[in-house]
Structures are given as C-alpha cells and as structure tokens.
Amino acid sequence: MTRANPASLAHRNEEWRQIGRALTALAAVAVLAGCEDKNTFVAPPPPKVDVATPVQRPVTRYIEATGNTAPIKNVDLVARVQGFLQSIDYQDGAFVKQGTQLFTIEPETYKLKLEQAQAAEAGAQASLKQAEADFKRQSDLVQRQAVSQATLDSSTSTRDNAQANLQQAQANTKLAEVNYGYTKVSAPFDGVVSAHLVSIGELVGVSSPTQLATIVAMDPIYVNFTVNEQDVLRIRAEAARRGLTGADLKQFPIQIGLQTETGYPHEGRLDYVAPTITQSTGTLAVRGLVPNDKRVLLPGYFVRVRVPFSQEKDSLLVPDTALGSDQGGRYLLVVNGDNIVEQRKVQIGPVDNGLRVIESGLKPDDRVVIAGLLRVIPGQKIDPQQAKIGQPQASAK
C-alpha cells in the first residue's frame, strides 16, 4: 500500500486555494462590470405642488370686539306708601305692557284719606264763598258810609284766609290722590318682571321704600364694548376721508353674534361714543342699540361685535393654510418664473369668508403654494400644478 507524501499534499492544497481566490476575484469583477451601467445617479423629478394666484375681490373692513348686552331700562319696583301687600297681580317672569297693574297695597286707608281731603276741600270752598259774599256786602256799606273801614278790613281778612284754606285743602286732596295712586304699583314701561320679593300680607314701606320686584326692558337692547386706540385712529381717518361727522358715526351699522351662533345674525346701529379715551386701558367706550323683539339677547350676555368702517375694492386673499410663520413673522411660499420656490414675507389682515386678507408683500399675479407645503423648501425647483382658490382641491401627489 503506497502512502502519499505529506509535502506533496500540502503543495497541492495551496494550489487549490490559489485557484479558489482567483475564481472569486474573477466573479467579483464580473459582477462589478455588470452593475456599472445601472449604478449611475439619476436626480428625482421636481415635486408636484398645487399653486394658485390670490383671489382678488372687494372686502369690507371691520372693527371686531367683544362686548356685553345691557337693558336700556332697568327699574326697581318699590312700595312708596306704607301698608300690607294685598295682592300680586302678575306671573313671575312675565312680559307685561306699560300700565299693567302688578301689586296692590292696602288701598282702603288711602281711599278714606282721599275722601277726607275732598270733604275738607268742599268745606273750604263753602267758607270762601261765604267770606266773599260778606266782603262784597261790607264794601257796599262802606261806600254808603253805613259801616266803618275797620269792619271792611276784618271782612277782607276773613276772605283772604278762606282763600288760603281752600288752596291748602286742594293741595291736601292732590297729595291724597297721589298716595292713593301709589297703592297700585304698575309697569312703567313694556318689559319682563322678575320674581316678587315680598309676599301677600307682608307690611311694606314702613321706614323706607320696600323693593317689590324689578322690571327690565328687553327691546331694544344695548351692546357695550370698547375700541382700542389704534382702531379709533383708523375710524377717524376713514371718517375724515369720507367727510363724516360725529352724528354720522352714530348711524354706523353694527353686527352682533352670540358665542354659540355662526356669523353675526343680529344687526343694529351705533348709539353712543364716549368723548374721551380711558388712559388706563387705552380704549374708547362705545355702545350699540340692537332690536330684540324676539328677546333672543338677554342682558348680561357676552357677544361678538363687529362694525364695518370701510370697503376696499381689490383686496388679495389666500387660504389661511398657505401661510407659514417664523421668527421674522408670517410668510407665503411663492413660485417664480423659473418654478423656483421663494419665501415672501407678508402682512396679514382679517379673515373674510374663510380666506385671509394679505395687506402687503403679495402681487395679484403671484403664484402661491396652497398645497403640498411640506414637500417644498425655498430655493427648490418644483413642478407647479395650477389650481384655483376657493374650490375643493385634490392635492398633487
């Protein structure tokens, strides 16, 4: 049996390893050669982004504020005479007309006092009539020298005293009539009466007037709010431009909306403007008057208020979502003629029908990025997809 030489075996194994390394190298070269053409870098296409020119239309400028409603009349009904409350003649919280009887306070006593005063007045009239007749007789007798002048003077004094007594009796009668009228408490104007504060049989008006209830006028209703100094200057400048006087400003319409309402469904007009600005707050007190025949507005409500003061014919508007912000303020992304995105600083105005007014920094023919803002950066080239603001858009993919 022949045994292999160990040296020969080692030499043969080394040859096989060299052959394996050579084959591996050739395979790698082949692979690299086959991939060389496919590994060339190709730039991605520009992203497709929706752009649109700003909407151009007339916009009414408003002064917006938060105010509160208040009644134009709010009166405490009180007992002006002393007595026991005899009846309550209304339902708590009811709407009543002017002159409606609400309370009755023990009228019998004051009716008797009135009758007593009327009787005293009738007696004073009779005494005056007799005194005048006596005065006339004494005057005739003096002329015939049948009585002395002293008798005439006495008759004159009696007549004058009778006249004074009659005047006093007439005043007492009027006073008794007034007090008797106070026994019936009536509504001084149309309004809603609060719950009664006293009960039937309770003694009222003993040492001071006793409050019985409160009546509140609901239609129309006041709306109080304040305007800051900057808005005051804007309004005065607009009024000067239009040649309006202070009286004309009071005819400006105002629009009111409750916190739960959409828009401003209630309309009225300005009623009062304070003559001075409050220095501590830098605001001007303003009051509006709003019809409230359905009594939707209750006194004490917080309401949204806006006052139209000017109208611009050609304002530029864009969606609020197209605006960005940084430390420098608000900006828009605008596409130039080479389809390169630019960042444009703008001054914004109010929202009008869902679109934001752009005060400055934008031109009517600028193409504004309105969708796909997260896919673009300033200086990047894009593939603009023309869209239209104000209509539902499907964002470009």
Side-chain angles (χ1 to χ4, degrees):
M1 181 175 183
T2 302
R3 298 183 63 181
N5 186 358
S8 176
L9 290 174
H11 178 72
R12 190 179 304 165
N13 289 337
E14 181 63 23
E15 289 179 349
W16 282 112
R17 281 196 293 268
Q18 291 178 357
I19 293 172
R21 285 195 293 267
L23 291 175
T24 301
L26 289 174
V29 171
V31 170
L32 290 175
C35 296
E36 183 176 357
D37 294 337
K38 298 181 181 178
N39 203 32
T40 302
F41 174 78
V42 178
K48 294 183 179 181
V49 179
D50 288 351
V51 299
T53 55
V55 173
Q56 192 170 6
R57 69 178 181 220
V59 172
T60 301
R61 294 302 180 95
Y62 296 93
I63 298 296
E64 297 186 353
T66 300
N68 64 283
T69 56
I72 61 173
K73 298 176 184 177
N74 186 2
V75 174
D76 292 336
L77 302 172
V78 298
R80 302 182 65 179
V81 293
Q82 178 178 331
F84 292 98
L85 187 65
Q86 181 170 302
S87 65
I88 300 174
D89 307 311
Y90 76 99
Q91 294 292 326
D92 291 351
F95 176 80
V96 297
K97 287 289 193 179
Q98 180 179 357
T100 302
Q101 184 171 325
L102 306 175
F103 298 93
T104 303
I105 304 172
E106 197 177 3
E108 290 79 8
T109 301
Y110 294 94
K111 183 178 181 181
L112 291 175
K113 290 181 179 180
L114 174 59
E115 293 174 350
Q116 186 180 28
Q118 290 172 339
E121 181 181 353
Q125 288 178 341
S127 297
L128 176 60
K129 184 176 181 181
Q130 181 182 1
E132 287 178 342
D134 182 67
F135 172 76
K136 186 177 182 180
R137 283 195 303 271
Q138 297 302 327
S139 297
D140 293 340
L141 292 175
V142 166
Q143 289 178 359
R144 295 198 300 264
Q145 298 182 350
V147 296
S148 65
Q149 184 65 38
T151 303
L152 177 61
D153 292 343
S154 177
S155 178
T156 302
S157 177
T158 301
R159 183 201 62 179
D160 292 343
N161 285 332
Q163 287 178 339
N165 291 336
L166 176 60
Q167 291 176 352
Q168 180 65 45
Q170 290 173 337
N172 290 338
T173 300
K174 291 181 180 180
L175 182 60
E177 287 178 349
V178 171
N179 287 332
Y180 179 60
Y182 287 157
T183 63
K184 300 182 189 309
V185 180
S186 302
F189 48 79
D190 296 353
V192 176
V193 188
S194 69
H196 59 275
L197 304 177
V198 293
S199 302
I200 295 176
E202 187 173 344
L203 183 63
V204 298
V206 178
S207 58
S208 61
T210 302
Q211 184 176 351
L212 307 175
T214 300
I215 183 171
V216 180
M218 305 290 286
D219 181 30
I221 195 168
Y222 285 142
V223 176
N224 297 307
F225 59 99
T226 58
V227 178
N228 63 51
E229 186 173 348
Q230 184 178 4
D231 287 338
V232 172
L233 294 174
R234 292 167 58 193
I235 292 176
R236 290 177 64 87
E238 179 66 17
R241 186 185 69 82
R242 296 166 58 181
L244 301 177
T245 65
D248 296 328
L249 288 176
K250 291 185 178 181
Q251 301 303 317
F252 266 43
I254 65 171
Q255 299 172 351
I256 308 298
L258 296 176
Q259 302 301 320
T260 56
E261 291 178 328
T262 302
Y264 299 82
H266 311 282
E267 295 188 358
R269 61 177 177 81
L270 286 181
D271 176 68
Y272 168 77
V273 177
T276 59
I277 289 180
T278 304
Q279 290 186 349
S280 59
T281 60
T283 58
L284 183 72
V286 184
R287 186 179 70 196
L289 190 65
V290 180
N292 190 34
D293 55 337
K294 295 182 180 179
R295 298 194 288 279
V296 174
L297 302 175
L298 297 180
Y301 272 163
F302 282 96
V303 294
R304 295 173 291 108
V305 184
R306 71 177 186 181
V307 182
F309 71 94
S310 68
Q311 188 174 40
E312 296 183 1
K313 294 182 178 179
D314 297 317
S315 295
L316 301 179
L317 303 95
V318 300
D320 235 354
T321 54
L323 285 162
S325 62
D326 57 18
Q327 293 181 346
R330 306 304 296 272
Y331 64 83
L332 290 170
L333 297 180
V334 179
V335 181
N336 63 19
D338 296 327
N339 292 336
I340 303 298
V341 177
E342 298 177 352
Q343 187 183 78
R344 187 78 59 80
K345 296 294 183 181
V346 294
Q347 296 293 327
I348 65 172
V351 173
D352 182 79
N353 291 330
L355 297 179
R356 176 70 66 175
V357 176
I358 304 301
E359 303 281 7
S360 62
L362 190 66
K363 295 181 292 185
D365 57 349
D366 282 336
R367 294 183 296 169
V368 180
V369 177
I370 62 172
L373 275 70
L374 298 178
R375 297 195 298 273
V376 296
I377 58 175
Q380 179 185 18
K381 187 170 184 178
I382 66 167
D383 181 8
Q385 305 295 303
Q386 192 65 34
K388 187 175 182 182
I389 294 176
Q391 296 180 357
Q393 298 293 331
S395 298
K397 301 299 183 183

